[in-house]
Amino acid sequence: SHQVSPVLAHELGHNMALRHADTLDCPSDSDSAFDGANWTGGCQETSYGDGDDVMAASRNDFAPFLSSPQSLRTGLIPAAAAKVISSDGTIDVVLNPLGSGIGVRAAEIVDPSNGVSYYVEYRTALAPDTVSIDGDALGVRVLRFNPSPDIRVGGTTVLLDPTPTAGVPHDTDDT
């Protein structure tokens, strides 16, 4: 059955200054330098690429939850749901599924050299979350948040590829 809620949720996200949930496809690295307009190392950002986030494309019958950076920015999950890691040492973080509604659901790491934030989250098909609209495996995901220089516009979340391969574009499975 056709439902308007996925489209409504996506458009409401835009009204809350959220931008599209993208993926980063690189031939050999999971991440790359970004100057605000271009990626280095042959990497390309694919708009709407993150099928685990309602700010990407949605299906007519369901839409996934927002990613952890988007959920934190909008207050959908409280700041206490993220463990901010600011030291150079090693720390263990136990993540509950993002959709669980309890405990720590994201780890945030800020790169001190450029101020870019990275988020680690654990996704399962636990309501209010759903499976990926693209059929990608659920599990641990690493996202990069690129803030916008314009404070009136939200930043972009970019799902990093855990297994970069030159011959396999759009390889965003979380395994």
Side-chain angles (χ1 to χ4, degrees):
S1 69
H2 179 74
Q3 298 178 357
V4 295
S5 58
V7 174
L8 182 61
H10 179 97
E11 297 306 323
L12 183 60
H14 285 310
N15 286 327
M16 298 174 73
L18 299 181
R19 296 178 72 191
H20 290 142
D22 299 343
T23 55
L24 186 63
D25 299 314
C26 296
S28 61
D29 294 315
S30 292
D31 194 14
S32 175
F34 181 68
D35 66 8
N38 299 300
W39 294 94
T40 62
C43 297
Q44 293 184 330
E45 187 171 336
T46 302
S47 189
Y48 294 94
D50 184 1
D52 291 335
D53 189 322
V54 72
M55 292 310 296
S58 294
R59 291 178 27 159
N60 289 336
D61 54 344
F62 75 87
F65 203 59
L66 287 171
S67 64
S68 57
Q70 305 280 44
S71 295
L72 288 160
R73 288 190 61 241
T74 60
L76 194 58
I77 64 174
K83 172 68 177 171
V84 179
I85 302 168
S86 58
S87 68
D88 293 336
T90 302
I91 187 170
D92 291 332
V93 177
V94 176
L95 295 176
N96 289 331
L98 185 60
S100 71
I102 58 169
V104 175
R105 289 160 267 165
E108 178 184 357
I109 303 96
V110 179
D111 183 337
S113 69
N114 59 15
V116 172
S117 294
Y118 294 88
Y119 293 83
V120 180
E121 64 185 26
Y122 176 50
R123 302 292 289 264
T124 63
L126 176 68
D129 208 355
T130 63
V131 297
S132 166
I133 65 165
D134 298 322
D136 292 340
L138 295 172
V140 176
R141 299 164 16 105
V142 179
L143 298 107
R144 175 181 172 142
F145 182 75
N146 292 326
S148 171
D150 183 345
I151 61 170
R152 296 168 295 162
V153 179
T156 302
T157 59
V158 183
L159 174 63
L160 301 182
D161 183 354
T163 55
T165 308
V168 185
H170 309 293
D171 177 25
T172 56
D173 270 359
D174 308 324
T175 57

